[in-house]
């Protein structure tokens, strides 16, 4: 914050007499107080609010393709948020982290044995390689209003040792920030899994859907 002396200099630049001259003392004091308020950072809503992990969800959807896709099934993966915060101010932002070792294959249509194999493949070197890249990290670079309780969020996603910009829409509904983003696996150095000679494989594009609650 600027010193009181500098603020007085600003007042003098506006042709205000020094404060010790009684006729203009009240006017000058008012202007100085305004300058003080302008020089302060905006505090209202500037404090970060933590993400309520217990009431927040993030799910990854991986879809099948290929000649024999009818014999396979889509994948549904739970990605619990390890940490996150949202700043609601003149420069709103969001940041969150996901422990890639905690991702879990849900796949209700699959048997326990099949889910275990998919889980192993997902965490292995062929896909996420969680041994080398144990964290997925997102940090926004800009948040643009897009109507009432709607925003377009831009930011950088760290995944599989690579960082790339992504954008997605967010809407506030029933106290939850909801939205989804579509990512290409190849964009982050991941080759989509193929089986049976490529007659069954997963699509390059995956969908990440989220519903985020904030702590009070």
């Amino acid at each position: 914050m600027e010193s009181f002396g500098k603020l007085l200099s600003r007042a003098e630049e506006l042709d205000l007499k020094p404060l010790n001259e009684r006729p203009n003392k009240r006017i000058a004091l008012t202007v100085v107080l305004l300058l003080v308020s302008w020089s302060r950072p905006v505090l209202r809503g500037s404090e970060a609010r933590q993400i309520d992990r217990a009431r927040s969800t993030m799910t990854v959807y991986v879809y099948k393709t290929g000649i024999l896709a009818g014999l396979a099934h889509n994948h549904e993966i739970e990605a619990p948020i390890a940490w996150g915060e949202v700043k609601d101010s003149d420069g709103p932002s969001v940041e969150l982290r996901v422990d890639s070792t905690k991702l879990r294959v849900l796949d209700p249509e699959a048997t326990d044995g099949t889910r275990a194999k998919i889980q192993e493949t997902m965490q292995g070197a062929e896909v996420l390689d969680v041994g080398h890249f144990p964290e997925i990290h997102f940090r926004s670079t800009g948040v643009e209003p897009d109507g009432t309780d709607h925003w377009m969020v831009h930011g950088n996603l760290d995944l599989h040792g690579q960082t790339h910009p992504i954008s997605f829409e967010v809407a506030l509904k029933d106290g939850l920030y909801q939205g989804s983003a579509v990512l290409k696996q190849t964009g982050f150095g991941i080759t989509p899994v193929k089986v049976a000679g490529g007659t069954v494989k997963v699509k390059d594009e995956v969908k990440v859907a989220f519903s985020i609650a904030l702590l009070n």
Side-chain angles (χ1 to χ4, degrees):
M1 183 183 296
E2 298 181 69
S3 66
F4 189 75
K6 288 184 179 180
L7 293 174
L8 286 177
S9 297
R10 285 192 180 186
E12 291 175 355
E13 290 174 3
L14 296 174
D15 292 331
L16 295 173
K17 294 181 180 181
L19 294 181
N20 59 4
E21 296 187 21
R22 297 182 63 84
N24 289 323
K25 182 176 181 180
R26 185 171 298 174
I27 297 175
L29 180 59
T30 300
V31 173
V32 169
L33 291 175
L34 286 173
L35 290 172
V36 170
S37 66
W38 292 340
S39 67
R40 290 177 178 173
V42 178
L43 297 179
R44 179 175 297 177
S46 63
E47 294 184 359
R49 295 180 63 188
Q50 298 294 307
I51 289 177
D52 186 343
R53 296 183 298 162
R55 296 194 299 124
S56 299
T57 61
M58 181 176 294
T59 308
V60 181
Y61 296 95
V62 183
Y63 302 103
K64 62 187 178 180
T65 185
I67 298 174
L68 299 181
L71 302 178
H73 59 271
N74 298 322
H75 303 309
E76 183 178 336
I77 302 164
E78 180 184 47
I81 298 172
W83 174 89
E85 67 177 19
V86 172
K87 292 182 179 178
D88 183 13
S89 63
D90 284 350
S93 64
V94 58
E95 182 177 5
L96 58 86
R97 300 177 186 274
V98 173
D99 184 345
S100 60
T101 67
K102 298 295 179 63
L103 269 66
R104 290 291 176 267
V105 176
L106 302 179
D107 290 7
E109 298 177 0
T111 64
D112 291 344
T114 299
R115 276 195 298 271
K117 290 180 180 179
I118 297 171
Q119 179 81 27
E120 182 179 1
T121 300
M122 177 187 69
Q123 293 185 327
E126 190 176 359
V127 185
L128 292 178
D129 196 2
V130 300
H132 289 95
F133 311 112
E135 183 178 78
I136 301 169
H137 176 226
F138 174 80
R139 175 179 290 171
S140 66
T141 56
V143 179
E144 302 173 1
D146 189 25
T148 303
D149 292 336
H150 284 75
W151 300 266
M152 178 63 72
V153 178
H154 309 279
N156 292 320
L157 177 65
D158 302 325
L159 171 64
H160 196 247
Q162 297 192 22
T163 303
H164 296 291
I166 64 171
S167 298
F168 51 89
E169 296 181 358
V170 178
L172 179 61
K173 184 178 181 181
D174 298 328
L176 299 172
Y177 292 91
Q178 302 175 340
S180 63
V182 176
L183 313 174
K184 282 192 174 183
Q185 298 181 70
T186 53
F188 291 87
I190 301 173
T191 302
V193 174
K194 300 178 182 180
V195 297
T199 57
V200 179
K201 55 186 177 181
V202 299
K203 292 183 178 180
D204 189 8
E205 292 185 340
V206 301
K207 178 182 177 181
V208 182
F210 56 85
S211 178
I212 294 177
L214 302 180
L215 293 172
N216 296 327

